Amino acid sequence: MSESLDGLHPDTQVVAAGRPPRTADGNLNPSISLSSTNHPGGPIGYGRFGNETWSALESAIEALEHGKTLLFPSGMAAINAIFDLLPIGSVVTASRNGYTGVMNVLASRERNGQLEVRYVDVSNTAEVLAALPGTSLLWIESPTNPALEVADLPTIIPAAKNLGIGVAIDNTFATPLLQQPLDMGADFVMQSVTKYLSGHSDILMGSVSTKDAGLFNRLSDIRKFGGAIPGPFEAWLALRGLRTLALRFERAQANAMELAIRLQSHPAVERVRYPGLPTDPHHATAIKFMAGFGAVLAIDVKGGAAAADKACESSKLVTYATSLGGVESLWERRHRWGSESPTIPVNLVRIAVGIENIEDLWRDIDQALRVSQE
Ligand SMILES: Cc1ncc(COP(=O)(O)O)c(C=O)c1O
């Protein structure tokens, strides 16, 4: 679709990728392709097999993740497509503290006898490596949601590949701006495009990228015949949002770092979890290979679940809602969802930091935390 983007910085690729060819009077942006069927002779054929607007976004994510990309209607649909590749009875080694949706899918596939799951602390490299023999797929989310643990991807991925194990990385928290796991040897990178890539809390979408043509074709068939396809309008909005990813992420990360520093000495906070803090147990791993620390942090609020709830209910600017990756800051006590992992403290509040002014954010979070202790 667009000219070669090789050699361009990712900050430029988010702006330049996925554009139509430069022709006289041609559009700068792809249009929203609304057609359920196509004339014969081309690569699409029918609306469940492909779509011009998807292709524009897929080629942009391809430039960033360094692998051919397929869009799905949500991050969960993308994740399920990867698990659908596994033969019945396969062993999956997975993050103990991953996103609750993934934890649910793994547990239900295990109950149905489709998979056997080994849960590991992905920040404990020795524990991950010990679990690998006999595994078909290693599923790693890093940094993890919501505990912000960091896996040593440059060590773990090659070790798994040496054993012939498939490796899939959920790159949602880091985005391709911070790490590109396909270049470390991973077979799949998955994104909840819903989050940073689209960036405005107005759509749901997912993607899977891979360098392996055979795996790409199998995933493409799963999408084609499973029928879980994204809407062209959502794909167009996601690409529009992607254009500002680098700018949004830069500001959100700077805000997250500043909040993490200030929250460390807040009287209502027991612990701050953010790999950017030099005192964080995951800092040393993160600085080895990540280009930044992301824009999500978590705090353990003094006074238990009730105080944590009170804090979230007392904010006026920061919205008490789930999700992350949008321009606006959100926070929530993760255990308000019954499905949260028991290894996550009941008083943990995840803060998805947005791009607002830092002093406005601080004033609001500070006052809400003070109210939580009254
Ligand atoms: C790390 C991570 N992976 C996957 C998902 C699922 O994505 P979606 O909500 O787009 O289905 C989420 C959603 O919160 C997430 O945080």
Side-chain angles (χ1 to χ4, degrees), residues 74-76 79 99 141 145 170 172 190 192 194-195 205 324:
S74 66
M76 288 311 301
I79 290 166
Y99 169 56
E141 193 178 294
N145 181 3
D170 182 335
T172 303
M190 171 264 149
S192 168
T194 311
K195 316 297 184 191
M205 192 165 292
L324 55 120

Side-chain angles (χ1 to χ4, degrees), residues 147-210:
L148 284 311
E149 300 148 326
V150 177
D152 185 348
L153 297 182
T155 303
I156 294 171
I157 294 173
K161 291 317 299 171
N162 280 341
L163 295 171
I165 295 166
V167 179
I169 308 294
D170 182 335
N171 208 20
T172 303
F173 271 39
T175 84
L177 300 181
L178 303 191
Q179 63 191 18
Q180 289 157 324
L182 293 182
D183 289 348
M184 303 176 202
D187 299 283
F188 307 102
V189 162
M190 171 264 149
Q191 281 286 340
S192 168
V193 178
T194 311
K195 316 297 184 191
Y196 293 104
L197 267 51
S198 64
H200 294 76
S201 306
D202 51 8
I203 60 138
L204 274 95
M205 192 165 292
S207 68
V208 181
S209 307
T210 178

